[in-house]
Amino acid sequence: MKIKIELTHPFSDAAGCREIVLNFNGNTVEQLLSELVMEYPALEKHIFDNGELTDFLILVLNNKLLTDEALNEVITNDGDCLGLLLPISGG
């Protein structure tokens, strides 16, 4: 199945593009992230910290915010869109 992955800074800088269409044979978002890092190794330090998802990552699947707990439970479907965002604060 094909999954579209939209990247914001710094993810887009690491991957060298703002959008990736990944041919994905797994099921869960966690598996999708692992496969993404295999295809784009420079993304690993932005997504994982010692094998765990970094605290500085917001995941949005089809415009719905994902929690860390849901990564093993949410099933991906052909045509899904996953957004990788960095939280921004300020005032």
Side-chain angles (χ1 to χ4, degrees):
M1 76 179 104
K2 291 187 183 206
I3 306 289
K4 183 167 85 170
I5 302 166
E6 296 178 345
L7 307 169
T8 60
H9 175 76
F11 311 106
S12 58
D13 290 348
C17 57
R18 294 185 50 83
E19 184 177 296
I20 296 168
V21 176
L22 193 66
N23 288 316
F24 178 56
N25 295 316
N27 292 313
T28 67
V29 173
E30 185 173 55
Q31 291 169 340
L32 177 61
L33 291 174
S34 294
E35 192 164 318
L36 177 64
V37 167
M38 287 175 53
E39 293 285 325
Y40 295 85
L43 286 171
E44 184 169 17
K45 69 179 183 180
H46 299 287
I47 296 175
F48 294 104
D49 182 22
N50 293 322
E52 299 292 322
L53 222 65
T54 180
D55 292 334
F56 304 106
L57 175 63
I58 297 173
L59 297 171
V60 179
L61 183 65
N62 300 326
N63 297 318
K64 293 183 182 173
L65 185 64
L66 294 177
T67 63
D68 290 349
E69 297 80 30
L71 297 181
N72 274 334
E73 299 169 7
V74 174
I75 303 298
T76 55
N77 297 295
D78 189 44
D80 278 354
C81 180
L82 179 69
L84 277 67
L85 310 168
L86 186 68
I88 298 174
S89 65

Coordinates of all heavy atoms in Angstrom, one line a residue:
M1 N 0.8 -1.2 0.0 CA 0.0 0.0 0.0 C 0.9 1.2 0.0 O 2.0 1.2 0.4 CB -0.9 0.0 1.2 CG -0.3 0.3 2.5 SD -1.5 0.3 3.9 CE -1.0 -1.2 4.6
K2 N 0.3 2.3 -0.5 CA 1.1 3.6 -0.5 C 0.6 4.5 0.6 O -0.6 4.7 0.7 CB 0.9 4.3 -1.9 CG 1.6 3.5 -3.0 CD 1.6 4.2 -4.3 CE 2.2 3.3 -5.3 NZ 2.8 4.0 -6.4
I3 N 1.6 5.0 1.3 CA 1.3 6.0 2.4 C 2.1 7.3 2.1 O 3.3 7.2 1.8 CB 1.8 5.4 3.8 CG1 1.2 4.0 4.1 CG2 1.5 6.4 4.9 CD1 -0.3 4.0 4.4
K4 N 1.4 8.4 2.2 CA 2.0 9.7 2.0 C 2.5 10.2 3.3 O 1.7 10.2 4.3 CB 1.1 10.7 1.3 CG 1.7 12.0 1.1 CD 0.9 12.9 0.2 CE -0.2 13.6 0.9 NZ -0.9 14.7 0.2
I5 N 3.7 10.6 3.4 CA 4.3 11.2 4.6 C 4.7 12.6 4.4 O 5.5 12.9 3.5 CB 5.5 10.3 5.1 CG1 5.0 8.9 5.3 CG2 6.1 10.9 6.4 CD1 6.2 7.9 5.4
E6 N 4.1 13.5 5.1 CA 4.4 14.9 5.0 C 5.4 15.4 6.1 O 5.1 15.0 7.3 CB 3.1 15.8 5.1 CG 2.2 15.5 3.9 CD 0.9 16.2 3.9 OE1 0.5 16.8 5.0 OE2 0.2 16.3 2.9
L7 N 6.4 16.0 5.7 CA 7.5 16.4 6.7 C 7.6 17.9 6.8 O 7.6 18.6 5.8 CB 8.8 15.8 6.2 CG 8.9 14.3 5.8 CD1 10.1 14.0 5.1 CD2 8.7 13.5 7.1
T8 N 7.7 18.3 8.1 CA 8.1 19.7 8.3 C 9.5 19.8 8.8 O 10.1 18.7 9.0 CB 7.1 20.3 9.4 OG1 7.3 19.5 10.6 CG2 5.7 20.2 9.0
H9 N 10.0 21.0 9.0 CA 11.4 21.2 9.5 C 11.5 20.6 10.9 O 10.5 20.8 11.7 CB 11.7 22.6 9.5 CG 13.1 22.9 10.1 ND1 14.2 22.7 9.4 CD2 13.4 23.4 11.3 CE1 15.2 23.0 10.2 NE2 14.8 23.5 11.3
P10 N 12.4 19.9 11.4 CA 13.7 19.5 10.7 C 13.6 18.2 10.0 O 14.6 17.8 9.4 CB 14.6 19.4 11.9 CG 13.8 18.8 13.0 CD 12.4 19.5 12.8
F11 N 12.5 17.6 10.0 CA 12.4 16.3 9.3 C 12.6 16.4 7.8 O 13.3 15.6 7.2 CB 11.0 15.7 9.6 CG 10.6 15.7 11.0 CD1 9.7 16.5 11.5 CD2 11.3 14.8 11.9 CE1 9.4 16.6 12.9 CE2 11.0 14.8 13.3 CZ 10.0 15.7 13.7
S12 N 12.1 17.5 7.2 CA 12.2 17.7 5.7 C 13.7 17.9 5.4 O 14.2 17.5 4.3 CB 11.3 18.8 5.3 OG 11.7 20.0 5.9
D13 N 14.4 18.6 6.3 CA 15.8 18.9 6.0 C 16.6 17.5 6.0 O 17.5 17.3 5.2 CB 16.4 19.8 7.0 CG 15.9 21.2 6.9 OD1 15.3 21.5 5.8 OD2 16.1 22.1 7.8
A14 N 16.3 16.7 7.0 CA 17.0 15.4 7.1 C 16.7 14.5 6.0 O 17.6 13.8 5.5 CB 16.6 14.7 8.5
A15 N 15.5 14.5 5.5 CA 15.1 13.6 4.4 C 15.4 14.2 3.0 O 15.5 13.5 2.0 CB 13.6 13.3 4.5
G16 N 15.6 15.5 3.0 CA 15.9 16.2 1.7 C 14.6 16.4 0.9 O 14.7 16.7 -0.3
C17 N 13.5 16.3 1.5 CA 12.2 16.6 0.8 C 11.1 16.8 1.8 O 11.2 16.5 3.0 CB 11.8 15.4 -0.1 SG 11.7 13.8 0.7
R18 N 10.0 17.4 1.3 CA 8.9 17.7 2.2 C 7.8 16.6 2.2 O 6.9 16.6 3.0 CB 8.3 19.1 1.9 CG 9.3 20.2 2.1 CD 8.7 21.6 1.9 NE 7.4 21.8 2.6 CZ 7.2 22.2 3.8 NH1 8.3 22.4 4.6 NH2 6.0 22.4 4.3
E19 N 7.9 15.7 1.2 CA 6.8 14.7 1.1 C 7.5 13.4 0.6 O 8.3 13.5 -0.3 CB 5.7 15.2 0.1 CG 4.6 14.3 0.0 CD 3.5 14.8 -0.9 OE1 2.9 15.9 -0.5 OE2 3.2 14.2 -2.0
I20 N 7.0 12.3 1.1 CA 7.5 11.0 0.7 C 6.3 10.1 0.5 O 5.3 10.2 1.3 CB 8.4 10.4 1.8 CG1 9.6 11.2 2.1 CG2 8.7 8.9 1.5 CD1 10.4 10.8 3.3
V21 N 6.3 9.4 -0.6 CA 5.3 8.3 -0.8 C 6.0 7.0 -0.6 O 6.9 6.7 -1.3 CB 4.6 8.4 -2.1 CG1 3.6 7.3 -2.3 CG2 3.9 9.7 -2.3
L22 N 5.6 6.3 0.5 CA 6.3 5.1 0.9 C 5.4 3.9 0.5 O 4.2 3.8 0.9 CB 6.6 5.1 2.4 CG 7.6 4.1 2.9 CD1 9.0 4.4 2.4 CD2 7.6 4.2 4.4
N23 N 6.0 2.9 -0.2 CA 5.3 1.6 -0.4 C 5.5 0.8 0.9 O 6.6 0.4 1.2 CB 5.9 0.9 -1.6 CG 5.5 1.6 -2.9 OD1 4.4 1.9 -3.1 ND2 6.5 1.7 -3.8
F24 N 4.4 0.6 1.6 CA 4.5 0.1 2.9 C 3.7 -1.3 3.0 O 2.6 -1.4 2.5 CB 3.9 1.1 3.9 CG 3.8 0.7 5.3 CD1 4.9 0.2 6.0 CD2 2.6 0.7 6.0 CE1 4.8 -0.1 7.3 CE2 2.5 0.3 7.3 CZ 3.6 -0.1 8.0
N25 N 4.4 -2.3 3.6 CA 3.8 -3.6 3.6 C 3.4 -4.0 5.1 O 2.9 -5.1 5.3 CB 4.8 -4.7 3.1 CG 5.0 -4.5 1.6 OD1 4.1 -4.2 0.9 ND2 6.3 -4.5 1.2
G26 N 3.5 -3.1 6.0 CA 3.2 -3.4 7.4 C 1.8 -3.0 7.7 O 0.9 -2.8 6.8
N27 N 1.5 -2.8 9.0 CA 0.1 -2.5 9.4 C 0.0 -1.3 10.3 O -0.9 -0.5 10.2 CB -0.5 -3.7 10.2 CG -0.7 -4.9 9.4 OD1 -1.2 -4.8 8.3 ND2 -0.3 -6.1 9.8
T28 N 1.0 -1.1 11.2 CA 0.8 -0.1 12.3 C 1.7 1.1 12.0 O 2.6 1.1 11.2 CB 1.2 -0.6 13.7 OG1 2.6 -0.9 13.7 CG2 0.4 -1.9 14.0
V29 N 1.3 2.2 12.6 CA 2.1 3.5 12.5 C 3.6 3.2 13.0 O 4.5 3.7 12.4 CB 1.4 4.6 13.2 CG1 2.3 5.9 13.2 CG2 0.1 4.9 12.6
E30 N 3.7 2.5 14.0 CA 5.0 2.2 14.6 C 5.9 1.5 13.5 O 7.1 1.8 13.3 CB 5.0 1.4 15.8 CG 6.3 1.2 16.5 CD 6.2 0.5 17.8 OE1 5.6 -0.6 17.9 OE2 6.8 1.1 18.8
Q31 N 5.3 0.5 12.8 CA 6.0 -0.2 11.8 C 6.3 0.7 10.6 O 7.4 0.7 10.0 CB 5.2 -1.4 11.2 CG 5.0 -2.5 12.2 CD 4.0 -3.5 11.8 OE1 3.1 -3.2 11.0 NE2 4.0 -4.7 12.4
L32 N 5.4 1.6 10.3 CA 5.6 2.6 9.3 C 6.8 3.5 9.6 O 7.7 3.8 8.7 CB 4.4 3.5 9.1 CG 4.4 4.6 8.1 CD1 4.7 4.1 6.7 CD2 3.1 5.4 8.1
L33 N 6.9 4.0 10.8 CA 8.0 4.8 11.2 C 9.4 4.1 11.1 O 10.4 4.6 10.7 CB 7.8 5.4 12.6 CG 6.7 6.4 12.8 CD1 6.5 6.7 14.3 CD2 7.0 7.6 12.0
S34 N 9.4 2.8 11.5 CA 10.6 2.0 11.4 C 11.0 1.8 10.0 O 12.2 1.9 9.6 CB 10.4 0.6 12.0 OG 10.2 0.8 13.4
E35 N 10.0 1.6 9.1 CA 10.4 1.4 7.7 C 10.8 2.8 7.1 O 11.8 2.8 6.3 CB 9.1 0.9 6.9 CG 9.5 0.5 5.5 CD 8.4 -0.4 4.9 OE1 7.9 -1.3 5.6 OE2 8.2 -0.2 3.7
L36 N 10.2 3.9 7.5 CA 10.6 5.2 7.0 C 12.1 5.5 7.4 O 12.9 5.9 6.6 CB 9.7 6.3 7.7 CG 10.1 7.7 7.3 CD1 9.9 8.0 5.9 CD2 9.2 8.7 8.2
V37 N 12.5 5.1 8.6 CA 13.9 5.3 9.1 C 14.8 4.4 8.3 O 16.0 4.8 8.0 CB 14.0 5.1 10.6 CG1 15.4 5.0 11.0 CG2 13.3 6.3 11.3
M38 N 14.4 3.2 7.9 CA 15.2 2.3 7.1 C 15.5 3.0 5.7 O 16.6 2.9 5.2 CB 14.6 1.0 7.0 CG 14.7 0.2 8.2 SD 13.8 -1.4 8.1 CE 14.5 -2.2 6.7
E39 N 14.5 3.6 5.2 CA 14.6 4.2 3.8 C 15.4 5.6 3.9 O 16.0 5.9 3.0 CB 13.2 4.5 3.2 CG 12.5 3.2 2.9 CD 13.0 2.5 1.6 OE1 13.5 3.2 0.7 OE2 13.0 1.3 1.6
Y40 N 15.2 6.3 5.0 CA 15.8 7.6 5.2 C 16.5 7.6 6.6 O 16.0 8.1 7.6 CB 14.7 8.7 5.2 CG 14.1 8.8 3.8 CD1 13.0 8.0 3.5 CD2 14.6 9.7 2.9 CE1 12.4 8.1 2.2 CE2 14.0 9.8 1.6 CZ 12.9 9.0 1.3 OH 12.3 9.1 0.1
P41 N 17.7 7.0 6.7 CA 18.4 6.9 7.9 C 18.7 8.2 8.7 O 18.7 8.2 9.9 CB 19.7 6.2 7.6 CG 19.5 5.6 6.2 CD 18.4 6.4 5.6
A42 N 18.8 9.3 8.0 CA 19.0 10.6 8.6 C 17.8 11.0 9.5 O 18.0 11.9 10.3 CB 19.3 11.7 7.5
L43 N 16.7 10.4 9.3 CA 15.5 10.8 10.1 C 15.5 10.1 11.5 O 14.8 10.6 12.4 CB 14.2 10.4 9.4 CG 13.8 11.2 8.2 CD1 12.6 10.6 7.5 CD2 13.4 12.6 8.6
E44 N 16.3 9.1 11.6 CA 16.3 8.3 12.9 C 16.5 9.2 14.1 O 15.8 9.1 15.1 CB 17.3 7.2 12.9 CG 17.2 6.3 14.1 CD 18.0 5.1 14.0 OE1 18.9 4.9 13.1 OE2 17.7 4.2 14.8
K45 N 17.5 10.1 14.1 CA 17.8 10.9 15.3 C 16.7 11.9 15.6 O 16.6 12.4 16.7 CB 19.1 11.6 15.1 CG 19.1 12.7 14.1 CD 20.5 13.4 14.0 CE 20.5 14.5 13.0 NZ 21.8 15.2 12.9
H46 N 15.8 12.2 14.6 CA 14.7 13.1 14.8 C 13.4 12.4 15.3 O 12.5 13.0 15.8 CB 14.4 13.9 13.5 CG 15.6 14.7 13.1 ND1 16.0 15.9 13.7 CD2 16.4 14.5 12.1 CE1 17.0 16.4 13.1 NE2 17.3 15.6 12.1
I47 N 13.4 11.1 15.0 CA 12.2 10.3 15.4 C 12.4 9.4 16.6 O 11.5 9.3 17.4 CB 11.7 9.4 14.2 CG1 11.4 10.4 13.0 CG2 10.6 8.5 14.5 CD1 11.1 9.6 11.7
F48 N 13.5 8.8 16.7 CA 13.8 7.9 17.8 C 14.9 8.4 18.7 O 15.8 9.0 18.3 CB 14.1 6.5 17.3 CG 13.0 5.8 16.6 CD1 13.0 5.7 15.2 CD2 11.9 5.3 17.3 CE1 11.9 5.1 14.5 CE2 10.9 4.7 16.6 CZ 10.9 4.6 15.2
D49 N 14.8 8.0 20.0 CA 15.8 8.3 21.0 C 16.0 7.0 21.8 O 15.2 6.6 22.5 CB 15.4 9.5 21.9 CG 16.5 9.8 22.9 OD1 17.6 9.5 22.7 OD2 16.1 10.4 24.0
N50 N 17.2 6.4 21.5 CA 17.5 5.1 22.2 C 16.3 4.1 21.9 O 15.9 3.3 22.8 CB 17.7 5.2 23.7 CG 19.0 6.0 23.9 OD1 20.0 5.8 23.3 ND2 18.9 6.8 25.0
G51 N 15.9 4.0 20.7 CA 14.8 3.0 20.3 C 13.4 3.4 20.7 O 12.5 2.7 20.3
E52 N 13.2 4.5 21.4 CA 11.9 5.0 21.7 C 11.6 6.2 20.9 O 12.5 7.0 20.6 CB 11.8 5.3 23.2 CG 12.1 4.1 24.1 CD 11.0 3.1 24.1 OE1 9.8 3.4 24.0 OE2 11.3 1.9 24.1
L53 N 10.3 6.5 20.7 CA 9.9 7.7 20.0 C 10.3 8.9 20.8 O 10.1 8.9 22.1 CB 8.4 7.7 19.9 CG 7.8 8.2 18.6 CD1 8.3 7.2 17.5 CD2 6.4 8.3 18.6
T54 N 10.9 9.9 20.2 CA 11.3 11.1 20.9 C 10.1 11.9 21.4 O 9.0 11.8 20.9 CB 12.2 12.0 19.9 OG1 12.6 13.1 20.6 CG2 11.4 12.4 18.7
D55 N 10.4 12.6 22.4 CA 9.3 13.5 23.0 C 9.0 14.7 22.1 O 8.0 15.3 22.3 CB 9.7 13.9 24.4 CG 9.8 12.8 25.4 OD1 9.1 11.8 25.2 OD2 10.5 12.9 26.4
F56 N 9.9 14.9 21.2 CA 9.8 16.1 20.3 C 9.2 15.8 19.0 O 9.7 16.2 17.9 CB 11.1 16.8 20.2 CG 11.7 17.2 21.5 CD1 12.8 16.5 22.0 CD2 11.2 18.2 22.2 CE1 13.3 16.8 23.2 CE2 11.8 18.6 23.5 CZ 12.8 17.8 24.0
L57 N 8.1 15.0 19.0 CA 7.5 14.6 17.7 C 6.0 14.5 17.9 O 5.5 14.0 18.9 CB 8.0 13.2 17.3 CG 7.4 12.5 16.1 CD1 7.7 13.4 14.8 CD2 8.0 11.1 15.9
I58 N 5.3 15.2 17.0 CA 3.8 15.1 16.9 C 3.5 14.3 15.6 O 3.9 14.7 14.6 CB 3.2 16.5 16.9 CG1 3.5 17.2 18.2 CG2 1.7 16.4 16.7 CD1 3.1 18.6 18.3
L59 N 2.7 13.3 15.8 CA 2.2 12.5 14.6 C 0.7 12.8 14.4 O -0.1 12.7 15.3 CB 2.5 11.0 14.9 CG 3.9 10.6 15.0 CD1 4.0 9.2 15.5 CD2 4.7 10.8 13.8
V60 N 0.4 13.0 13.1 CA -1.0 13.2 12.7 C -1.3 12.3 11.5 O -0.6 12.3 10.5 CB -1.2 14.7 12.3 CG1 -2.6 14.9 11.8 CG2 -0.8 15.7 13.4
L61 N -2.3 11.4 11.7 CA -2.7 10.5 10.7 C -4.0 10.9 10.1 O -5.0 11.0 10.9 CB -2.7 9.1 11.2 CG -3.0 8.0 10.2 CD1 -1.9 7.9 9.1 CD2 -3.2 6.6 10.9
N62 N -4.1 11.3 8.9 CA -5.3 11.7 8.3 C -6.0 12.8 9.1 O -7.2 12.8 9.4 CB -6.3 10.5 8.0 CG -5.7 9.5 7.2 OD1 -4.9 9.7 6.2 ND2 -5.9 8.2 7.5
N63 N -5.2 13.8 9.5 CA -5.7 15.0 10.2 C -6.1 14.7 11.6 O -6.8 15.5 12.2 CB -6.8 15.7 9.4 CG -6.3 16.3 8.1 OD1 -5.2 16.8 8.1 ND2 -7.1 16.1 7.1
K64 N -5.7 13.5 12.2 CA -6.1 13.2 13.6 C -4.8 13.0 14.3 O -3.9 12.2 13.9 CB -7.0 11.9 13.6 CG -8.3 12.2 13.0 CD -9.2 11.0 13.2 CE -10.5 11.3 12.5 NZ -11.4 10.1 12.5
L65 N -4.7 13.6 15.5 CA -3.5 13.5 16.3 C -3.4 12.1 16.9 O -4.4 11.6 17.4 CB -3.7 14.6 17.5 CG -2.5 14.7 18.4 CD1 -1.3 15.2 17.7 CD2 -2.8 15.6 19.6
L66 N -2.2 11.6 16.9 CA -2.0 10.2 17.4 C -1.3 10.4 18.8 O -0.4 11.2 18.9 CB -1.1 9.4 16.5 CG -1.7 9.0 15.1 CD1 -0.6 8.3 14.3 CD2 -2.9 8.2 15.3
T67 N -1.6 9.5 19.7 CA -0.9 9.4 21.0 C 0.2 8.3 20.9 O 0.1 7.4 20.0 CB -1.9 9.1 22.1 OG1 -2.4 7.8 21.9 CG2 -3.0 10.1 22.3
D68 N 1.1 8.4 21.7 CA 2.2 7.4 21.7 C 1.6 6.0 21.9 O 2.1 5.0 21.3 CB 3.2 7.7 22.8 CG 4.1 8.9 22.5 OD1 4.0 9.4 21.4 OD2 4.8 9.4 23.4
E69 N 0.6 5.9 22.8 CA 0.0 4.6 23.1 C -0.7 4.0 21.8 O -0.8 2.8 21.7 CB -1.0 4.7 24.2 CG -0.4 5.1 25.5 CD -0.2 6.7 25.6 OE1 -0.9 7.4 25.0 OE2 0.7 7.0 26.3
A70 N -1.1 4.8 20.9 CA -1.9 4.3 19.8 C -1.0 3.8 18.6 O -1.5 3.2 17.7 CB -2.8 5.5 19.2
L71 N 0.3 4.0 18.7 CA 1.2 3.7 17.6 C 1.2 2.2 17.2 O 1.3 1.9 16.0 CB 2.6 4.2 17.8 CG 2.8 5.7 18.0 CD1 4.3 6.0 18.3 CD2 2.3 6.4 16.8
N72 N 1.0 1.4 18.2 CA 0.9 -0.1 17.9 C -0.5 -0.5 17.6 O -0.7 -1.7 17.1 CB 1.4 -0.9 19.1 CG 2.9 -1.1 19.1 OD1 3.5 -1.1 18.1 ND2 3.5 -1.2 20.3
E73 N -1.5 0.3 17.8 CA -2.9 -0.1 17.6 C -3.5 0.5 16.3 O -4.4 -0.1 15.8 CB -3.7 0.4 18.8 CG -3.2 -0.2 20.1 CD -3.8 0.5 21.3 OE1 -4.7 1.3 21.2 OE2 -3.4 0.2 22.5
V74 N -3.0 1.6 15.9 CA -3.6 2.3 14.7 C -3.1 1.5 13.5 O -2.0 1.4 13.2 CB -3.2 3.8 14.6 CG1 -3.7 4.4 13.4 CG2 -3.8 4.5 15.8
I75 N -4.1 1.1 12.7 CA -3.8 0.3 11.5 C -3.8 1.3 10.3 O -4.7 2.2 10.2 CB -4.9 -0.8 11.2 CG1 -5.0 -1.7 12.4 CG2 -4.7 -1.5 9.9 CD1 -3.7 -2.5 12.7
T76 N -2.8 1.2 9.5 CA -2.7 2.1 8.3 C -3.5 1.5 7.1 O -3.6 0.2 7.0 CB -1.3 2.3 7.9 OG1 -0.6 1.1 7.7 CG2 -0.6 3.1 9.0
N77 N -3.9 2.3 6.2 CA -4.6 1.9 5.0 C -4.0 2.6 3.8 O -3.4 3.6 3.9 CB -6.1 2.3 5.1 CG -6.8 1.6 6.3 OD1 -6.9 0.4 6.3 ND2 -7.2 2.3 7.2
D78 N -4.2 1.9 2.7 CA -3.7 2.5 1.4 C -4.2 3.9 1.3 O -5.4 4.2 1.4 CB -4.1 1.6 0.2 CG -3.5 2.1 -1.1 OD1 -2.3 2.3 -1.1 OD2 -4.2 2.1 -2.1
G79 N -3.3 4.9 0.9 CA -3.7 6.2 0.7 C -3.7 7.1 2.0 O -4.0 8.3 1.9
D80 N -3.4 6.5 3.1 CA -3.3 7.4 4.3 C -2.2 8.4 4.2 O -1.3 8.3 3.4 CB -3.0 6.5 5.6 CG -4.2 5.8 6.1 OD1 -5.3 6.0 5.7 OD2 -4.0 4.9 7.0
C81 N -2.4 9.5 5.0 CA -1.4 10.5 5.1 C -0.9 10.7 6.5 O -1.7 11.0 7.4 CB -2.0 11.8 4.5 SG -0.8 13.2 4.5
L82 N 0.4 10.6 6.7 CA 1.0 10.7 8.0 C 1.8 12.0 8.0 O 2.7 12.2 7.2 CB 1.9 9.6 8.4 CG 2.6 9.6 9.7 CD1 1.6 9.5 10.9 CD2 3.7 8.6 9.9
G83 N 1.6 12.9 9.0 CA 2.3 14.1 9.1 C 3.3 14.0 10.3 O 2.9 13.6 11.4
L84 N 4.5 14.5 10.1 CA 5.5 14.5 11.2 C 5.7 16.0 11.5 O 6.1 16.8 10.6 CB 6.8 13.9 10.8 CG 6.9 12.4 11.0 CD1 6.0 11.7 10.0 CD2 8.3 11.9 10.8
L85 N 5.4 16.4 12.7 CA 5.5 17.8 13.1 C 6.3 17.9 14.4 O 6.4 17.1 15.2 CB 4.1 18.3 13.5 CG 3.0 18.1 12.4 CD1 1.6 18.4 13.0 CD2 3.3 18.9 11.2
L86 N 6.9 19.1 14.5 CA 7.7 19.5 15.7 C 6.9 20.5 16.5 O 6.4 21.5 15.9 CB 9.1 20.1 15.2 CG 10.1 20.4 16.3 CD1 10.6 19.1 16.9 CD2 11.2 21.2 15.7
P87 N 6.7 20.2 17.8 CA 6.0 21.2 18.6 C 6.7 22.6 18.6 O 7.9 22.6 18.7 CB 5.9 20.6 19.9 CG 6.8 19.4 20.0 CD 7.2 19.2 18.6
I88 N 5.9 23.6 18.5 CA 6.4 25.0 18.6 C 5.8 25.7 19.7 O 4.6 25.6 19.9 CB 6.2 25.7 17.2 CG1 6.8 25.0 16.1 CG2 6.6 27.1 17.3 CD1 6.5 25.5 14.7
S89 N 6.6 26.4 20.5 CA 6.0 27.3 21.5 C 6.6 28.6 21.5 O 7.6 28.8 20.8 CB 6.3 26.6 22.9 OG 7.6 26.6 23.2
G90 N 6.0 29.5 22.1 CA 6.6 30.9 22.1 C 5.4 31.9 22.4 O 4.3 31.5 22.6
G91 N 5.8 33.1 22.3 CA 4.7 34.1 22.5 C 5.1 35.4 22.0 O 6.0 35.7 21.3

